Amino acid sequence: MSPKSRLYTLVKAWKNKPFQEVRDACGAPWLGLSSQALEDHQSWSKRQAISHEPIFNCKGTKLTGSLFRPLLKTTDVQLLRLFMEGLDTIAYWYRSGRYIPGILPIPMHAVSSNGYVDALSDLILNSRLPVGLIALGIKLPPDPESAATCKEGLWRLRRLGVLLHLIDFSGSPEQLRWITEMQIEGVHFDMRKFRDQTLSSDVLSQIRNSPYSPTQIYASNVLLMKDLENATHWQIDHCYGGLMMAPLSRHQMLQINDSRIAKAIFSLHPHQHPNQNGDK
């Protein structure tokens, strides 16, 4: 083996080195870490392993985004650190040549705080990511009084080129007003609400009342073949859940090849008829 070939092999092995090696070294008791610091580091390593849920188009042939799950259940102490981790992951994909938009859920009380909005703005600006790669996952404010403050904070973040996604969509009139007023780019609803008929297809048609609307529909918790059939029938734009693909690490996301891995996975779950969408 020539020296150049040996160097190539070493570099390739280093790039594919799993996070477990780093976690074992940093978590050694002889490093003098406190129990709280060790627990925080182990939770960080766990998030690196399973924290990114891939999102595909309805046919499952293209990776269209990722949901950063640790931000769904975060405390105020962890919020900015987790948000920075999410931005760092999106930048990691972008530097690796993959244009993978990331959805970072944010609690509404943080959006209504000027201090949090200033900190989030600084993190977004320092990431130097292009417009379209960062999306905030938001919910409706708990009361009408805080709605005006939340909207002000969201407009400040939107001026930085951040997209807005409404998660946990239930079809309420207030949510529909927010979609129109705030020009929401993505609406996420749980497919289980279709199964128990708490969400009707008429509500989805109201979102698409204008052919020029920028809003796209995301179906979460796609677990059954019937869910994929419903998503195809109602022309859902994006799907994610256990039937699509389990959460991955940020390095594993780079290994998803749109033309090979995704198609191979969905060939195991044929959810379309041969003559559907004009295929003969």
Side-chain angles (χ1 to χ4, degrees):
M1 180 183 294
S2 65
K4 179 180 287 188
S5 300
R6 199 178 310 123
L7 178 61
Y8 173 79
T9 303
L10 290 174
V11 171
K12 185 176 181 181
W14 177 82
K15 287 178 61 180
N16 294 329
K17 191 175 183 180
F19 285 103
Q20 181 71 30
E21 298 293 336
V22 179
R23 183 176 61 186
D24 291 343
C26 295
W30 52 267
L31 289 177
L33 296 177
S34 64
S35 58
Q36 182 62 35
L38 181 59
E39 182 180 351
D40 291 343
H41 178 78
Q42 289 174 345
S43 64
W44 179 85
S45 301
K46 185 177 180 180
R47 289 196 302 273
Q48 290 294 324
I50 58 173
S51 57
H52 306 283
E53 186 161 6
I55 301 174
F56 295 89
N57 62 349
C58 191
K59 294 182 179 179
T61 56
K62 183 176 178 57
L63 179 68
T64 59
S66 172
L67 176 67
F68 190 47
R69 297 196 61 85
L71 279 171
L72 289 172
K73 298 179 180 179
T74 182
T75 62
D76 292 344
V77 177
Q78 298 175 326
L79 176 59
L80 293 179
R81 179 169 59 86
L82 290 178
F83 190 83
M84 184 171 60
E85 286 184 18
L87 292 176
D88 181 67
T89 298
I90 300 173
Y92 170 74
W93 294 331
Y94 181 68
R95 291 192 302 264
S96 302
R98 295 298 301 273
Y99 195 89
I100 305 176
I103 302 172
L104 309 178
I106 292 295
M108 294 306 288
H109 73 270
V111 179
S112 61
S113 169
N114 289 329
Y116 270 115
V117 173
D118 291 340
L120 295 174
S121 300
D122 290 340
L123 291 175
I124 293 172
L125 290 173
N126 291 333
S127 68
R128 299 181 181 273
L129 289 168
V131 175
L133 280 183
I134 305 174
L136 299 182
I138 62 173
K139 298 180 181 180
L140 254 62
D143 55 82
E145 297 180 358
S146 60
T149 309
C150 291
K151 290 179 181 179
E152 181 180 351
L154 290 175
W155 282 120
R156 286 182 56 191
L157 294 172
R158 181 180 279 282
R159 284 193 288 268
L160 302 178
V162 173
L163 307 181
L164 298 182
H165 284 222
L166 181 64
I167 56 180
D168 290 342
F169 178 72
S170 60
S172 66
E174 183 64 22
Q175 287 180 329
L176 292 174
R177 283 195 296 269
W178 264 67
I179 293 173
T180 303
E181 182 178 352
M182 300 298 297
Q183 300 177 359
I184 302 293
E185 281 85 8
V187 173
H188 298 240
F189 73 94
D190 196 327
M191 284 300 296
R192 290 175 295 188
K193 295 181 179 179
F194 259 129
R195 298 178 211 151
D196 56 19
Q197 298 181 351
T198 57
L199 183 65
S200 66
S201 58
D202 296 337
V203 177
L204 299 182
S205 62
Q206 295 182 41
I207 301 177
R208 292 197 174 100
N209 56 1
S210 172
Y212 306 102
S213 174
T215 305
Q216 293 193 329
I217 301 178
Y218 292 70
S220 65
N221 280 320
V222 178
L223 304 174
L224 306 175
M225 294 300 302
K226 188 65 176 178
D227 294 339
L228 282 177
E229 294 176 2
N230 289 333
T232 303
H233 179 70
W234 297 114
Q235 299 179 350
I236 304 300
D237 300 300
H238 310 271
C239 298
Y240 58 97
L243 188 62
M244 313 294 284
M245 187 177 287
L248 305 172
S249 69
R250 69 176 192 173
H251 181 70
Q252 289 172 329
M253 289 284 290
L254 291 177
Q255 310 304 316
I256 298 179
N257 187 296
D258 295 338
S259 62
R260 293 183 181 180
I261 296 181
K263 288 183 180 179
I265 291 174
F266 280 84
S267 67
L268 302 176
H269 307 290
H271 58 280
Q272 293 184 343
H273 298 288
N275 59 351
Q276 194 167 355
N277 295 331
D279 298 334
K280 302 298 182 182

